Amino acid sequence: MTLEYGWRALTHLSEIDESKYGGTVKLGGWIEDIRNLGGIAFIQLRGRDGVLQVTALKKENEELFKSLTALPRESVIVVEGKVQENKEAKLGFEILPSQFEVLSEAATPLPLGVADKVGADLDTRLDNRFMDLRKPEHSAIFKVRSALLEGIRGYFSKELFIEVHTPKIVAAGAEGGSTLFPIQYFGTDAYLAQSPQLYKQMLMATGFERIYEIAPAYRAEKSDTVRHIAEFTSLDVEIAFIKSSEDVMDCIQELVRDTVAFVKENASFELGLLGIDLVTPEIPFRRITHAECVDILKEKGEGLSPEEDLDTVGEKLIGEVMKEKHGIDFYFITDFPTAVKGGTFYAMRKAEDPTLTGYFDLGYAGLELVSGGQREHRYDVLVEQMKENNLALEDFEFYLSAFRYGMPPHGGFGLGIERFIQNMLGISNIRETVLFPRDRSRLVP
Ligand code: AMO
């Protein structure tokens, strides 16, 4: 039997309501399960937006009954049939099939169960990702991710930012040598970009004024953790004519609040499936200085020198304190000492106290989500800071030249998209938020 179909010719489950009862529809999907009781069979057909019961009766059409119930699980079919109300079916209706066509028969055994209640370990899931994502609670993560990106783009579009794309094959790193991935580029040494840092700053010399980029960033992270991956999606933002880091923090808290609200409204089905009750945070976000964090951690028995960045344990403890004391998930850690951000040669130091920068992190329930601040835009000072960091100035000439002919004060930030989703959905391992994650031991699929 052949059935006419096409990407717009099929009905989706969400389009079926009482007005369609008694009518004929055509749907495509995967056979999740078949329960054959002899004279009647219940076939669970999984589509983009749910699982439908197809009820076949032997006495109606024996040939159709036999061939449909003989199909292996996860085969792909298109089925045409009448929509009939059935209070006992999960959706309140079922389809009585009149025709169907097998588009792809699944091999057996399956590498991973789809309808099974028992979960597989993460490695097996990631090895068989195409199958793993047939589970609605797994694909829901990516639908939330898509809504989150739409919310982010909506915010920036409203604020008159333009979206840009900068090269991912670069000649110099910006975030320290230890996490650079070297590559061969037509016989020359090159790297995968750790961050668009140098390019987003150079764009401030063009007149674009407000830019953002959503793109992969690469870090050869030395250790395996549940919050680091080798290829992550970075939201990078740069804004010209800022007065101080305050302007950047302003932008971040509005962005985060509006994006969470957007996801809550536009991914409510998926959030429900995942059992997440999102709370839109109130702004302004509370602040805590780096020096205050040092004191708190000391009290908790966690030594952190005033010249050190918070480690994972420190980040988690500060997150717990902010939750217990103030009931909040989002908070800025401000006034990073120059010694911590010193390696960040592009950070502007405070005029009143050069041992401090206006640099900050945004913590999200114990996880660093954002880091950013005002940049040093004055050519001479920037050169001095680069020398302090023992950088070979000739390697950065392409960057420095943008500061010589009119560079407005500017600042910006980087936000890890996967970390945003990870904490929003309470996911323990960041790898679950990436379709095909890359880490020290994972290059395939
Ligand atoms: P930073 O190195 O702090 O700053 O990175 C910014 C944000 O990116 C995310 N992130 C990661 N996410 C997953 N896996 C990783 N390995 C990983 N590394 C970083 C985090 C982090 O807060 N150029 C500056 C930003 C700026 O100042 O504009 C930068 O890259 O969420």
Side-chain angles (χ1 to χ4, degrees):
M1 254 182 275
T2 48
L3 272 174
E4 282 295 310
Y5 59 90
W7 74 300
R8 283 189 168 131
L10 298 178
T11 305
H12 285 105
L13 272 187
S14 52
E15 292 160 353
I16 300 180
D17 56 19
E18 284 175 18
S19 71
K20 299 265 191 327
Y21 289 4
T24 299
V25 291
K26 227 182 311 178
L27 297 109
W30 283 255
I31 295 181
E32 190 166 283
D33 194 28
I34 299 174
R35 207 150 51 91
N36 187 347
L37 306 180
I40 186 168
F42 301 105
I43 294 107
Q44 303 301 323
L45 187 68
R46 191 184 59 252
R48 185 181 72 183
D49 45 8
V51 180
L52 166 76
Q53 178 172 304
V54 176
T55 307
L57 293 168
K58 195 175 195 171
K59 66 173 194 293
E60 291 280 322
N61 186 337
E62 191 164 344
E63 196 193 328
L64 179 144
F65 184 90
K66 272 192 184 155
S67 47
L68 188 55
T69 52
L71 284 172
R73 284 211 264 173
E74 295 303 317
S75 296
V76 179
I77 63 166
V78 179
V79 61
E80 186 175 81
K82 199 168 112 186
V83 186
Q84 174 168 285
E85 183 169 19
N86 177 354
K87 294 240 159 44
E88 277 165 28
K90 236 190 195 154
L91 301 172
F93 62 84
E94 62 193 349
I95 301 288
L96 305 178
S98 50
Q99 297 191 62
F100 80 96
E101 185 181 337
V102 182
L103 301 185
S104 173
E105 190 170 313
T108 52
L110 300 173
L112 193 69
V114 177
D116 312 10
K117 290 281 171 282
V118 277
D121 65 82
L122 188 56
D123 267 331
T124 311
R125 288 181 45 203
L126 294 175
D127 286 344
N128 298 284
R129 198 53 152 157
F130 69 92
M131 198 97 202
D132 175 58
L133 292 171
R134 292 184 188 180
K135 277 195 186 257
E137 63 273 30
H138 296 164
S139 59
I141 297 170
F142 296 92
K143 293 177 184 169
V144 172
R145 183 181 164 122
S146 177
L148 180 116
L149 291 170
E150 193 182 336
I152 289 174
R153 289 198 165 95
Y155 171 81
F156 285 120
S157 161
K158 173 173 73 75
E159 295 297 337
L160 310 179
F161 281 70
I162 66 161
E163 182 170 3
V164 300
H165 288 98
T166 63
K168 301 304 152 210
I169 301 176
V170 297
E175 308 302 321
S178 71
T179 62
L180 276 171
F181 274 116
I183 57 166
Q184 271 300 305
Y185 186 71
F186 302 118
T188 305
D189 290 339
Y191 306 98
L192 293 180
Q194 295 166 306
S195 152
Q197 184 64 37
L198 305 181
Y199 291 94
K200 59 182 182 168
Q201 287 194 257
M202 286 158 68
L203 291 178
M204 293 298 96
T206 62
F208 285 152
E209 204 173 302
R210 298 175 195 179
I211 58 111
Y212 75 100
E213 173 166 12
I214 299 173
Y218 300 92
R219 306 272 170 110
E221 297 288 355
K222 293 288 173 277
S223 53
D224 275 323
T225 82
V226 294
R227 39 177 72 192
H228 292 91
I229 32 180
E231 181 178 54
F232 69 98
T233 309
S234 186
L235 163 66
D236 275 276
V237 174
E238 209 62 32
I239 314 170
F241 299 103
I242 62 164
K243 183 85 183 104
S244 69
S245 292
E246 290 293 327
D247 286 339
V248 184
M249 286 191 267
D250 248 12
C251 170
I252 293 171
Q253 59 194 13
E254 281 179 12
L255 166 76
V256 168
R257 179 198 58 192
D258 290 6
T259 302
V260 173
F262 184 90
V263 171
K264 193 173 159 71
E265 193 169 327
N266 292 277
S268 55
F269 176 78
E270 286 75 22
L271 291 172
L273 194 66
L274 296 168
I276 301 295
D277 184 16
L278 266 191
V279 178
T280 305
E282 279 179 24
I283 64 170
F285 292 157
R286 186 172 271 277
R287 316 265 184 101
I288 176 169
T289 64
H290 179 270
E292 285 166 341
C293 288
V294 172
D295 289 343
I296 291 176
L297 292 178
K298 204 184 280 167
E299 272 173 35
K300 301 239 167 220
E302 277 299 319
L304 174 71
S305 107
E307 308 207 326
E308 265 179 315
D309 206 349
L310 277 73
D311 60 6
T312 302
V313 178
E315 280 181 35
K316 274 192 183 155
L317 283 170
I318 296 298
E320 282 167 22
V321 169
M322 297 309 264
K323 188 76 182 173
E324 275 162 25
K325 264 194 163 170
H326 308 292
I328 53 171
D329 290 325
F330 291 99
Y331 45 87
F332 285 113
I333 301 177
T334 62
D335 299 86
F336 269 86
T338 302
V340 174
K341 291 291 175 187
T344 313
F345 60 85
Y346 49 80
M348 182 179 271
R349 299 171 188 176
K350 289 199 169 185
E352 67 278 14
D353 180 2
T355 68
L356 291 179
T357 68
Y359 259 59
F360 57 81
D361 283 352
L362 178 72
Y364 181 10
L367 181 71
E368 178 203 309
L369 176 63
V370 174
S371 100
Q374 180 166 12
R375 324 297 190 186
E376 183 49 73
H377 67 282
R378 295 163 297 181
Y379 178 81
D380 295 340
V381 186
L382 181 60
V383 165
E384 276 316 304
Q385 293 187 180
M386 291 175 84
K387 282 186 187 157
E388 249 180 53
N389 279 283
N390 300 316
L391 294 174
L393 294 184
E394 59 278 15
D395 292 347
F396 290 85
E397 176 53 25
F398 70 95
Y399 166 72
L400 281 170
S401 66
F403 290 75
R404 277 193 215 111
Y405 309 99
M407 172 62 97
H410 62 272
F413 64 91
L415 177 154
I417 295 292
E418 287 81 11
R419 288 189 177 184
F420 203 174
I421 297 157
Q422 184 182 7
N423 268 18
M424 186 177 266
L425 302 181
I427 292 171
S428 54
N429 193 324
I430 192 167
R431 289 162 184 75
E432 278 202 65
T433 70
V434 186
L435 289 172
F436 301 103
R438 291 289 174 261
D439 62 24
R440 290 163 60 84
S441 56
R442 194 165 274 285
L443 183 59
V444 176

